């Protein structure tokens, strides 16, 4: 298959492309990425001479960037997005533009190019905050609570509409929280690893008891590949690891593995409207495709930490001046307030 991957220079896209180019050489991968702050060409620089890989810098919102690369492809795996909730709270406009408008534009061109599969990579956040014991199912109503989640929900609906109206061969892969190598250090796990390595305070929102289902990136990529080969068109598939942990549990595990003191944990003012718990029911993909995550949380965390330790330069380059500016803008006022005590 000739596969167009959007957003391949970001976190999950990088893991997906590396898996495909290195382990599935029968496919040809074309990567289209705008290289926003979250995209990094170093991630894939060792693949440039592979005959089954090509890279184009381009914006999914620009027809003249999309048309030349989508013509003649068999499938699209669409990762490209603005992906960070805190940034969406600071400024929602880029999320509406890339995640909603960009997805629609890509759908239109993919339909014209008569692709045979279109995988849209969505998020468990579309379901909003769930009470303990409740799981987001594929047919649960969308109930997003922040601009990022709202933009992902909107584009899920657009992807479904293309199927419903035009029988367009789309599939939604709805992932839970992913972690692993190459994740930009604004997200919880790499941020904690990066700060802990330097004995810097670890900002923890609110009481730190927000729950996420942690899915190792490798496992997410294998699920997406299975969906590309065998998923039913017009369907949504939840992809989760049944690995629910509070943020505090995650942070304490990282501190233990890095041999750093828990006193680095610093409670800061919570994110406004912070969803308490996300959790998907991945039963459908387990039943239909026999997909199961292969990586236990502890093992995935060790692999992730090992990767960041072996790639200290990547981490340093990524935490450039623009990262520092953003980090300051987000956390400087929050550190100033009285820390919230955790409830156990
Ligand atoms: N990371 C997670 O935990 C998670 C969980 C569920 C779903 N998702 C979804 O998976 C996808 C990938 O997430 P990620 O964490 O790898 O994101 P990321 O922010 O690390 O990477 C996004 C990539 O998209 C590129 N991009 C952004 N705007 C673009 C545009 N207009 N045109 C072309 N490229 C553009 C960026 O340059 C970057 O390389 C996203 O759609 C996200 O919503 C992520």
């Amino acid at each position: 298959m000739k596969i167009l991957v959007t957003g391949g220079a970001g976190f999950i896209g990088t893991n997906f492309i590396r898996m495909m180019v290195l382990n599935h050489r029968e496919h040809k991968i074309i990567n289209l990425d705008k290289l926003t702050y979250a995209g990094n060409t170093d991630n894939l620089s060792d693949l440039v001479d592979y005959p089954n890989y090509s890279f184009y810098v381009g914006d999914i919102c620009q027809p003249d960037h999309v048309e030349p690369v989508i013509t003649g492809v068999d499938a699209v795996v669409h990762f490209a997005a603005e992906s960070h909730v805190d940034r969406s709270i600071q400024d929602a406009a880029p999320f509406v533009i890339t995640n909603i408008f960009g997805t629609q534009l890509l759908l239109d061109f993919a339909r014209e190019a008569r692709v045979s599969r279109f995988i849209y990579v969505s998020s468990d956040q579309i379901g909003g905050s769930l009470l303990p014991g409740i799981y987001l199912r594929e047919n649960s109503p969308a109930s997003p609570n922040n601009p990022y989640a709202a933009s992902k929900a909107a584009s899920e609906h657009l992807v479904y509409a293309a199927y419903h109206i035009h029988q367009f061969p789309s599939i939604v892969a709805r992932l839970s929280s992913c972690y692993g190598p190459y994740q930009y250090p604004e997200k919880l796990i790499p941020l904690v690893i990066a700060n802990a390595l330097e004995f810097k305070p670890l900002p923890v929102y609110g009481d730190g008891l927000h729950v996420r289902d942690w899915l190792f990136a490798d496992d997410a990529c294998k699920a997406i590949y299975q969906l590309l080969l065998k998923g039913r068109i017009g369907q949504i598939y939840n992809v989760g690891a049944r690995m629910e942990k509070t943020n505090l549990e995650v942070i304490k595990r990282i501190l233990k593995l890095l041999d750093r003191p828990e006193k680095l944990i610093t409670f800061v003012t919570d994110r406004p409207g912070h969803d308490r718990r996300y959790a998907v029911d991945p039963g459908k993909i387990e039943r239909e495709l026999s997909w199961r995550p292969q990586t236990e949380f502890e093992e995935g965390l060790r692999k992730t930490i090992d990767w960041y330790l072996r790639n200290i330069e990547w981490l340093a380059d990524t935490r450039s001046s623009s990262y520092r500016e953003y980090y300051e803008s987000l956390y400087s006022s929050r550190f100033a307030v009285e820390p919230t005590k955790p409830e156990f």
Side-chain angles (χ1 to χ4, degrees):
M1 262 191 290
K2 197 169 166 188
I3 304 167
L4 173 65
V5 175
T6 69
F11 161 48
I12 310 176
T14 290
N15 281 282
F16 183 76
I17 288 181
R18 298 193 68 81
M19 175 187 87
M20 295 300 289
V21 172
L22 298 172
N23 305 338
H24 299 281
R25 298 187 183 201
E26 66 278 24
H27 303 300
K28 192 169 174 348
I29 303 296
I30 301 162
N31 179 10
L32 176 70
D33 197 297
K34 185 180 171 184
L35 297 179
T36 66
Y37 76 94
N40 188 338
T41 46
D42 290 349
N43 295 357
L44 300 160
S45 55
D46 56 322
L47 302 185
V48 289
D49 292 329
Y50 279 67
N52 58 338
Y53 175 64
S54 46
F55 175 52
Y56 297 88
V57 179
D59 185 344
I60 58 161
C61 301
Q62 300 281 345
D64 56 335
H65 294 183
V66 175
E67 195 176 14
V69 293
I70 209 166
T71 308
V73 308
D74 302 298
V76 176
V77 180
H78 176 30
F79 293 100
E82 290 293 339
S83 71
H84 189 41
V85 175
D86 286 320
R87 288 182 189 257
S88 81
I89 293 169
Q90 288 183 336
D91 181 9
F95 289 74
V96 174
I97 295 167
T98 286
N99 300 4
I100 304 178
F101 174 73
T103 297
Q104 183 58 50
L105 196 91
L106 203 61
L107 285 168
D108 293 341
F109 275 105
R111 200 155 57 78
E112 211 171 287
R114 298 182 179 282
V115 306
S116 58
R117 278 286 182 285
F118 183 104
I119 309 288
Y120 174 63
V121 182
S122 187
S123 161
D124 61 355
Q125 293 205 23
I126 67 107
S129 196
L130 302 175
L131 291 170
I134 305 290
Y135 294 89
L136 186 74
R137 300 225 153 74
E138 283 79 0
N139 59 1
S140 304
S143 188
N145 286 325
N146 62 65
Y148 163 70
S151 70
K152 296 300 287 185
S155 37
E156 269 199 21
H157 293 316
L158 292 172
V159 170
Y160 180 76
Y163 163 73
H164 185 72
I165 295 169
H166 305 288
Q167 296 74 55
F168 179 69
S170 58
I171 294 171
V172 172
R174 195 191 275 157
L175 313 183
S176 63
S177 292
C178 293
Y179 69 103
Y182 300 100
Q183 189 167 29
Y184 191 81
E186 65 189 352
K187 306 277 170 68
L188 181 74
I189 289 180
L191 187 148
V192 169
I193 295 171
N195 281 18
L197 283 173
E198 296 176 358
F199 290 91
K200 283 189 175 159
L202 311 177
V204 181
Y205 282 145
D207 59 12
L209 299 181
H210 302 81
V211 173
R212 302 292 181 259
D213 169 16
W214 291 99
L215 173 66
F216 194 54
D218 249 15
D219 287 323
C221 293
K222 284 178 184 152
I224 290 167
Y225 184 48
Q226 288 305 306
L227 290 172
L228 192 59
L229 298 179
K230 297 188 285 193
R232 284 188 293 135
I233 65 167
Q235 298 290 308
I236 298 170
Y237 290 86
N238 288 339
V239 185
R242 302 181 190 274
M243 205 68 73
E244 289 184 46
K245 305 254 173 258
T246 66
N247 289 349
L248 262 188
E249 283 177 281
V250 171
I251 293 165
K252 286 182 180 176
R253 283 315 303 159
I254 296 173
L255 289 174
K256 192 135 196 113
L257 289 168
L258 283 173
D259 193 22
R260 295 294 191 269
E262 287 192 6
K263 68 169 193 257
L264 292 177
I265 293 174
T266 309
F267 293 95
V268 302
T269 318
D270 207 352
R271 168 191 288 164
H274 198 176
D275 286 337
R276 199 70 179 160
R277 175 174 170 269
Y278 301 129
V280 295
D281 175 356
K284 181 171 167 177
I285 191 170
E286 292 173 351
R287 278 192 308 277
E288 288 191 17
L289 303 185
S290 302
W291 172 87
R292 296 280 186 293
Q294 306 291 306
T295 319
E296 286 296 326
F297 184 67
E298 184 76 16
E299 182 197 348
L301 208 49
R302 276 179 200 279
K303 284 185 177 170
T304 305
I305 290 174
D306 279 355
W307 185 86
Y308 281 97
L309 288 173
R310 280 185 282 108
N311 291 276
I312 289 288
E313 265 181 41
W314 183 96
L315 199 54
D317 289 350
T318 310
R319 295 163 89 210
S320 61
S321 55
S322 63
Y323 172 84
R324 279 199 300 277
E325 270 168 37
Y326 167 74
Y327 187 90
E328 286 297 313
S329 76
L330 190 65
Y331 291 112
S332 58
S333 60
R334 295 183 180 193
F335 273 126
V337 303
E338 194 63 28
T340 326
K341 282 275 177 289
E343 298 159 21
F344 292 104

